[in-house]
Amino acid sequence: MTIGEWIDSRGGSVPSALCSRLRAQAQVSLTALLDAAMVELEAVERSDPADRATAFSLLSADAYVTYACLWEVTEGTGDGIEHILAQVAEAPGAGPPE
């Protein structure tokens, strides 16, 4: 099952503008969800902060991290939450501005 299919199977209502961004084609896993979040965060780093697309990249990254937590709690062992936090802390743009 792909990430997009897994998100769709959750049954929640995702706003259409954001839903169209959450279509990573990797097989759903904790690693794949975090990788999708990192791709979006890297896009934020390369983008104009005033551009609307940048905001959607940031929202998409947040959604992928949230789904990673949900996946870990519902499908994984629950032990990966610390791994998620470590990955987010090391993500592009994490930490105080320079």
Side-chain angles (χ1 to χ4, degrees), residues 40-91:
E40 293 295 339
L41 287 174
E42 288 166 2
V44 169
E45 285 289 298
R46 296 186 308 268
S47 301
D48 175 2
D51 188 354
R52 183 178 175 153
T54 304
F56 275 104
S57 288
L58 189 56
L59 287 170
S60 297
D62 178 66
Y64 281 129
V65 170
T66 300
Y67 282 124
C69 292
L70 179 62
W71 190 90
E72 181 58 23
V73 169
T74 61
E75 311 288 336
T77 63
D79 296 335
I81 298 297
E82 288 182 20
H83 173 71
I84 294 168
L85 294 174
Q87 290 293 313
V88 171
E90 295 173 9

Side-chain angles (χ1 to χ4, degrees), residues 1-76:
M1 176 181 300
T2 67
I3 290 173
E5 292 168 341
W6 183 79
I7 290 171
D8 289 344
S9 76
R10 303 303 306 162
S13 176
V14 178
S16 60
L18 182 57
C19 188
S20 66
R21 300 284 306 246
L22 301 177
R23 294 287 161 230
Q25 292 300 306
Q27 293 297 307
V28 68
S29 68
L30 178 59
T31 300
L33 286 160
L34 290 174
D35 287 349
M38 294 310 132
V39 166
E40 293 295 339
L41 287 174
E42 288 166 2
V44 169
E45 285 289 298
R46 296 186 308 268
S47 301
D48 175 2
D51 188 354
R52 183 178 175 153
T54 304
F56 275 104
S57 288
L58 189 56
L59 287 170
S60 297
D62 178 66
Y64 281 129
V65 170
T66 300
Y67 282 124
C69 292
L70 179 62
W71 190 90
E72 181 58 23
V73 169
T74 61
E75 311 288 336

